[in-house]
Amino acid sequence: MLNNKLYIKTWGCQMNEYDSSKIADIMENKLNCKITTSIKDANILILNTCSIREKAQEKLFHQLGRWKILKKKNPEIIIGVGGCVASQEGKKILDRAYYVDIIFGPQTFHKLPKMIYKIRKFKKFLIDISFPKIEKFKFFPLTKTKNVSSFISIIEGCNKYCTYCIVPHTRGKEISRPYKDILLEIKNLSDQGVKEIHLLGQNVNSYKYIDKKNKKCYTFAKLLILISKIENIKRIRFTTSHPKDFSDELINVYQKIPKLVNFLHLPVQSGSDRILSLMKRRYSILEYTKIINKVRYIRPYIQISSDFIVGFPGETKSDFDDTISLILDLDLDMGFSFIYSPRPGTPASKMKDNINILEKKKRLYLLQHYITQQTKKFSLKMLNTIQIILVEGISPQNNKYFGKTENNRIVYFMSKINYIGKFINVKIIDSYIYSLYGEFISICNN
Ligand code: 5AD
Ligand code: SF4
């Protein structure tokens, strides 16, 4: 039997990173695959792609070109392309990269072990980019981890169809993972020492699972309450949520669950109602502001981060100014900002784009300037305060211990004692934009 050695290259968001970790788990479990970070040792190469922005296709063929050379030297190598570009392009990928063996989508990666077995047997190209009825979650083996903070996917796909976005086309319709499986997985993680859980999904707050046995509906708010009851899980984070589904029931959970961190990522995309409507975001700035105000009423010190798109077709200078005003008026803390990128087949890609690239770059630069000032301001405020961090490990960059604060800042500190997996109090002695330096003060009680 062949020794399977798998090398995975991942592009894109946390969701894709999570999918890749699951691919690794499944391949280890079913094919006894060893995971390698050295491509030279590998005989299975997987590229997990992302197509949300930029020139994803070009990037793909550049990467595959490099892998073609490896396959020429060793024809036994199997090349698989997965993720959103695979889902979007399908068999067309073969026109420019005939040597690819497997194409799979974000919802079919659990079939990889079978596909690899078949490829070896029949030496014939395989493709499966379907959105199967039996969701992939059912095939995930329980995760083995040494980490103290862990991601877990709770919902897949998206039904929102924002006019600029490719995700609903590549990842398919929303499917909520059964709440019992989520709780089991989190319990399994917590038994291995995980203290912080980060719930993932394109739209976590539209989570809805109806238990066929008791006909009960489990919303995201209810799920959070159940997770908070797992004793050794001390912190809960989630990304990404949509303002439209940010219900009062969810807002009230901030009162009920102190474990829910004082940090919320709630993408607004634009500060202009006109642009929000063209984006089909389904909320107004007033509604977005009301959500933030309600959450702040319960948690006055919660910090808010957001995503922004600049240069959406038809965005005027005044629309853009509204986005900057929103950042300042709502005193947002952090932001991820992007120049609008037309995605094939989306409604926005057919809209007239009348803003030149220089202007788009100028707007992006300005927005990033304002949001960075905000981040810096909040980080500076933390100077000389005592913060609680969960110690996650030693940083390969500076050899110092590091952990995260509730508000998502990395704190580095020196210590002769290993506190990994512990919550500790640190005094902040130096502040950079996204990271801080601290001094150990004491171990927390919990
Ligand atoms: N162009 C630019 N940014 C986009 N995003 C999603 N689609 C596009 C696009 N076509 C951004 C949004 C989203 C984040 C994950 O990526 O801001 O919240
Ligand atoms: Fe894309 Fe909108 Fe769905 Fe987010 S909510 S994944 S931006 S379609």
Side-chain angles (χ1 to χ4, degrees):
M1 200 173 124
L2 252 176
N3 274 337
N4 287 312
K5 284 204 174 159
L6 168 70
Y7 174 88
I8 310 183
K9 194 170 190 70
T10 311
W11 295 336
C13 60
Q14 287 160 336
M15 199 73 192
N16 254 20
E17 291 287 347
Y18 179 81
D19 282 356
S20 289
S21 75
K22 288 292 152 196
I23 291 174
D25 283 354
I26 290 169
M27 296 286 275
E28 254 184 323
N29 209 272
K30 292 268 184 319
L31 276 189
N32 206 11
C33 232
K34 296 272 167 297
I35 313 301
T36 174
T37 50
S38 157
I39 193 160
K40 284 191 211 119
D41 298 340
N43 55 4
I44 304 174
L45 311 181
I46 299 286
L47 184 59
N48 190 9
T49 60
C50 167
S51 61
I52 201 151
R53 291 176 293 271
E54 52 195 307
K55 296 189 169 61
Q57 289 92 329
E58 285 318 302
K59 209 170 140 192
L60 169 71
F61 292 114
H62 274 130
Q63 183 60 60
L64 289 176
R66 273 177 242 134
W67 286 5
K68 180 184 175 187
I69 301 168
L70 297 175
K71 188 154 171 143
K72 242 188 184 162
K73 280 190 201 149
N74 176 10
E76 291 296 315
I77 286 179
I78 292 178
I79 298 182
V81 179
C84 291
V85 183
S87 169
Q88 190 186 304
E89 298 295 308
K91 225 173 172 176
K92 274 193 279 171
I93 292 175
L94 291 191
D95 296 346
R96 283 176 68 185
Y98 59 89
Y99 44 87
V100 165
D101 300 288
I102 299 175
I103 295 178
F104 59 97
Q107 308 308 344
T108 49
F109 63 70
H110 57 285
K111 297 184 184 173
L112 265 176
K114 251 194 196 151
M115 290 172 108
I116 285 173
Y117 170 81
K118 279 191 187 162
I119 283 281
R120 290 230 168 95
K121 197 159 176 203
F122 305 111
K123 310 260 179 253
K124 251 174 111 184
F125 162 79
L126 287 172
I127 180 165
D128 189 344
I129 49 172
S130 61
F131 299 128
K133 277 245 153 54
I134 303 178
E135 61 269 30
K136 64 185 178 196
F137 296 129
K138 294 214 169 75
F139 298 88
F140 289 178
L142 284 175
T143 310
K144 280 191 222 123
T145 186
K146 289 195 172 74
N147 297 336
V148 295
S149 173
S150 182
F151 290 110
I152 176 166
S153 164
I154 62 160
I155 181 168
E156 257 296 325
C158 181
N159 295 347
K160 289 283 182 296
Y161 289 92
C162 302
T163 56
Y164 53 80
C165 187
I166 195 81
V167 168
H169 309 268
T170 54
R171 283 197 174 256
K173 288 229 172 287
E174 269 172 12
I175 300 178
S176 294
R177 191 174 179 182
Y179 75 97
K180 279 188 187 154
D181 293 0
I182 297 172
L183 295 175
L184 188 78
E185 175 77 352
I186 297 180
K187 182 74 181 50
N188 157 59
L189 290 168
S190 100
D191 289 346
Q192 297 176 68
V194 168
K195 302 274 174 68
E196 177 184 272
I197 209 80
H198 192 142
L199 308 174
L200 281 183
Q202 261 72 41
N203 203 347
V204 284
N205 57 330
S206 70
Y207 179 90
K208 195 185 245 179
Y209 186 80
I210 299 180
D211 192 329
K212 286 189 187 106
K213 280 192 191 132
N214 61 15
K215 301 271 182 301
K216 257 187 162 168
C217 174
Y218 290 82
T219 57
F220 184 52
K222 292 204 172 74
L223 180 70
L224 284 171
I225 292 171
L226 290 174
I227 294 172
S228 73
K229 290 185 178 146
I230 301 176
E231 203 190 328
N232 288 332
I233 297 298
K234 307 290 182 192
R235 262 187 193 170
I236 306 171
R237 301 182 186 273
F238 59 82
T239 37
T240 289
S241 31
H242 193 289
K244 176 77 188 156
D245 299 323
F246 221 90
S247 62
D248 284 347
E249 187 199 17
L250 176 55
I251 293 171
N252 289 331
V253 168
Y254 277 92
Q255 187 135 45
K256 292 186 189 138
I257 309 181
K259 287 180 180 182
L260 207 51
V261 292
N262 250 347
F263 185 82
L264 168 63
H265 182 66
L266 193 60
V268 66
Q269 312 297 358
S270 168
S272 149
D273 281 340
R274 202 178 64 81
I275 296 297
L276 288 180
S277 159
L278 287 172
M279 289 176 165
K280 215 172 125 215
R281 287 290 288 178
R282 308 156 193 250
Y283 54 82
S284 64
I285 289 304
L286 183 64
E287 283 162 329
Y288 182 85
T289 307
K290 274 187 181 161
I291 296 169
I292 303 294
N293 288 343
K294 281 187 195 171
V295 177
R296 279 194 175 139
Y297 183 75
I298 297 173
R299 294 279 191 95
Y301 299 110
I302 196 163
Q303 278 164 244
I304 314 286
S305 84
S306 197
D307 289 347
F308 306 95
I309 296 177
V310 302
F312 188 80
E315 183 191 66
T316 62
K317 182 80 183 55
S318 149
D319 294 319
F320 173 71
D321 288 344
D322 288 345
T323 307
I324 302 295
S325 303
L326 184 85
I327 293 173
L328 301 177
D329 292 349
L330 287 183
D331 207 13
L332 301 182
D333 169 22
M334 283 190 190
F336 298 95
S337 44
F338 316 98
I339 290 181
Y340 165 70
S341 158
R343 301 288 81 204
T346 56
S349 69
K350 293 172 195 100
M351 294 177 192
K352 193 161 183 271
D353 184 356
N354 55 353
I355 315 157
N356 68 54
I357 186 67
L358 275 180
E359 177 62 21
K360 287 180 186 174
K361 284 189 177 162
K362 203 172 114 195
R363 289 183 194 176
L364 183 72
Y365 176 83
L366 255 176
L367 192 146
Q368 287 180 342
H369 165 78
Y370 279 103
I371 198 77
T372 310
Q373 288 308 312
Q374 288 289 109
T375 312
K376 216 169 168 177
K377 179 182 85 178
F378 281 107
S379 292
L380 256 179
K381 266 192 195 166
M382 295 167 81
L383 205 58
N384 294 321
T385 63
I386 307 284
Q387 298 286 329
I388 298 174
I389 62 168
L390 169 61
V391 185
E392 290 186 33
I394 296 176
S395 159
Q397 272 103 40
N398 59 16
N399 244 350
K400 292 189 169 65
Y401 281 100
F402 74 94
K404 271 201 210 104
T405 57
E406 271 200 45
N407 63 350
N408 240 358
R409 261 66 173 179
I410 293 185
V411 181
Y412 298 102
F413 68 101
M414 305 263 265
S415 170
K416 289 208 168 87
I417 301 169
N418 178 353
Y419 293 110
I420 295 173
K422 301 243 176 325
F423 284 91
I424 62 166
N425 291 304
V426 282
K427 181 173 175 191
I428 305 302
I429 52 171
D430 217 342
S431 150
Y432 295 86
I433 301 175
Y434 303 101
S435 60
L436 307 160
Y437 282 80
E439 264 173 11
F440 171 82
I441 300 290
S442 60
I443 297 182
C444 298
N445 288 332
N446 59 12

